[in-house]
Amino acid sequence: DLDINRLVLDWIERVKGGVDWVSHCESEKLILANAHYHRTGTMRWVETQVVSSVDQVKVPSGIVGASFANLVLPINKELYTELCDRFDESDHLVLGLPTGIDELQQATIELIALEKIAKEESEKLSRDPIAKTEIESRDKLARLRIARLLDQILQTVAWRYKGKPLTGNSLTAKVSRVADLIYPDCPAVHNELVNRMKLSGTANSALNKLMLAILDEGEEEQLDLPTDTFPPERGIYLSCLKAKGWHTPGMSPSFAGNWIDCKSAKKLPSNEQDVYKLWKAGFDFIKHKGDRVTVNELYEFWMRPPFGLTLGLCRLYAMALLKSLETNLAFYDFDSTKDWIYIPELDEELVTKF
């Protein structure tokens, strides 16, 4: 019979000096910015990373659809000091002063040893099913222990963001604080159908119907949407357009009519101020970009800080923005011949490509 304890100890001694254990300590744990979500309606998250060198640090871009920041945990205080010197000005990195790392290292090295045993001693294990079951059981327990230790460390470590201590009653509160700092101009839009990166079939259909209504029925109250029933496009209209001041029937233009001559967001009702900033930034982006601006470039501009808009809202608000500026813009379509073709005005075929 195999002496499992002796076998594990032997393999621990063999691997502990020649392996970068942090590569086996990768965490798929994502920390949600819950308070930020409740304030803005936009779900964001951070990733976590244990590192043994500066080169291992991953710096997120901040564009929506991926983690907006990385909680980086160095394996010792010397590396922590080096990371602070290198990344203290980064908007997308939060640095942790390492504590409890030795126990995490021991647990991870044990897991590496168990993986080596399963691979290198497979022939012996195949002849001893009890030993094989024991190794598999220890492997599962080691993984659970690593996850527990890592979670414990992440919750209790002192975090530093842009050179200052990061405060908060919980880790999610701290993460939300970072999200608020990175995306200070994210508009508050509480609609789970459309305020997301990937729309469901129902949401996509409703958004397409709403965009066509913006195109054709801008002068009508509530875009001439059904009032005796409540289809999803009407819900999106009420929460994302009407409640935010986008739709101004009876004015010229029928979208953003109150904002065309506005010089400051502070002069507008509080519910309109955040989306006015978004509209004004989009207007200025188009104005100063140059000869030609693609819809995708506008999306990418809005998806980056300080707005961090989701793709669903980018599509809707780009349509409303272009409708508000329709008389001042020339539209082009990149057709099947790979040429830009002039379009006299916004039309259904163009809108369906948004």
Side-chain angles (χ1 to χ4, degrees):
D1 291 346
L2 287 174
D3 185 341
I4 296 298
N5 288 331
R6 172 52 55 192
L7 187 62
V8 171
L9 289 173
D10 287 346
W11 272 100
I12 287 175
E13 287 298 317
R14 292 168 68 175
V15 301
K16 70 178 183 180
V19 66
D20 185 11
W21 62 271
V22 299
S23 62
H24 286 70
C25 194
E26 291 184 358
S27 171
E28 296 181 357
K29 185 178 181 65
L30 301 176
I31 315 297
L32 301 180
N34 289 330
H36 179 83
Y37 168 69
H38 290 302
R39 182 180 68 81
T40 65
T42 302
M43 181 61 72
R44 306 188 199 279
W45 61 90
V46 301
E47 57 187 316
T48 58
Q49 186 184 15
V50 181
V51 299
S52 59
S53 70
V54 174
D55 295 337
Q56 292 173 341
V57 175
K58 296 182 287 188
V59 184
S61 67
I63 196 165
V64 177
S67 60
F68 69 87
N70 189 7
L71 302 184
V72 180
L73 191 65
I75 62 171
N76 54 53
K77 292 182 179 180
E78 291 76 20
L79 180 56
Y80 171 76
T81 301
E82 190 177 353
L83 293 179
C84 290
D85 292 340
R86 176 84 171 268
F87 296 115
D88 252 356
E89 297 305 313
S90 173
D91 289 331
H92 302 287
L93 291 179
V94 183
L95 306 176
L97 181 63
T99 56
I101 296 296
D102 289 345
E103 190 176 357
L104 180 64
Q105 180 179 1
Q106 292 170 7
T108 308
I109 288 176
E110 182 178 343
L111 175 62
I112 296 170
L114 290 167
E115 290 178 342
K116 288 287 188 181
I117 291 170
K119 182 179 179 180
E120 303 295 336
E121 309 281 359
S122 59
E123 187 175 341
K124 293 180 182 178
L125 292 174
S126 66
R127 296 195 297 267
D128 190 336
I130 295 176
K132 183 178 180 181
T133 301
E134 174 71 12
I135 292 297
E136 290 172 349
S137 176
R138 289 194 181 200
D139 183 286
K140 292 177 183 178
L141 289 173
R143 293 179 191 277
L144 289 173
R145 184 186 175 202
I146 290 168
R148 177 181 58 79
L149 288 171
L150 189 55
D151 186 61
Q152 213 171 55
I153 293 169
L154 292 173
Q155 295 289 343
T156 58
V157 75
W159 293 103
R160 172 189 179 102
Y161 180 64
K162 300 198 76 170
K164 297 179 181 179
L166 184 60
T167 58
N169 294 327
S170 65
L171 186 57
T172 57
K174 294 172 184 176
V175 166
S176 287
R177 173 63 178 155
V178 175
D180 288 343
L181 292 171
I182 293 176
Y183 305 102
D185 293 330
C186 176
V189 183
H190 297 279
N191 187 296
E192 293 187 359
L193 270 180
V194 73
N195 192 1
R196 56 197 310 156
M197 287 301 292
K198 294 181 179 179
L199 302 188
S200 66
T202 298
N204 197 54
S205 175
L207 181 57
N208 289 335
K209 290 177 182 177
L210 180 55
M211 290 169 68
L212 292 176
I214 293 171
L215 175 68
D216 297 325
E217 309 293 346
E219 298 295 339
E220 301 296 325
E221 289 289 338
Q222 298 198 30
L223 300 178
D224 204 28
L225 294 169
T227 55
D228 54 338
T229 59
F230 206 91
E233 56 268 23
R234 184 166 176 239
I236 297 171
Y237 165 78
L238 291 174
S239 60
C240 303
L241 293 177
K242 185 176 182 179
K244 306 301 290 184
W246 274 99
H247 190 208
T248 52
M251 299 187 68
S252 182
S254 60
F255 277 83
N258 286 325
W259 304 342
I260 293 294
D261 297 319
C262 182
K263 303 300 181 184
S264 170
K266 294 180 181 179
K267 296 181 179 180
L268 296 170
S270 58
N271 62 300
E272 297 184 21
Q273 292 180 8
D274 53 3
V275 284
Y276 166 78
K277 292 179 182 178
L278 183 79
W279 174 86
K280 184 67 166 60
F283 172 83
D284 290 339
F285 177 76
I286 293 172
K287 182 178 179 181
H288 299 301
K289 184 69 167 60
D291 294 339
R292 185 173 62 224
V293 181
T294 67
V295 170
N296 282 339
E297 286 173 336
L298 177 62
Y299 290 175
E300 186 171 334
F301 170 68
W302 274 343
M303 289 168 72
R304 292 187 179 279
F307 299 106
L309 213 62
T310 58
L311 181 58
L313 286 181
C314 280
R315 291 175 59 196
L316 176 61
Y317 287 160
M319 179 65 203
L321 169 70
L322 296 181
K323 188 66 177 177
S324 73
L325 303 175
E326 188 174 19
T327 58
N328 299 302
L329 298 175
F331 297 99
Y332 290 82
D333 184 18
F334 195 62
D335 71 358
S336 57
T337 66
K338 307 300 182 183
D339 288 325
W340 291 100
I341 306 299
Y342 172 67
I343 306 296
E345 60 183 7
L346 278 173
D347 60 23
E348 183 174 337
E349 184 177 352
L350 199 60
V351 170
T352 57
K353 294 183 178 181
F354 277 28

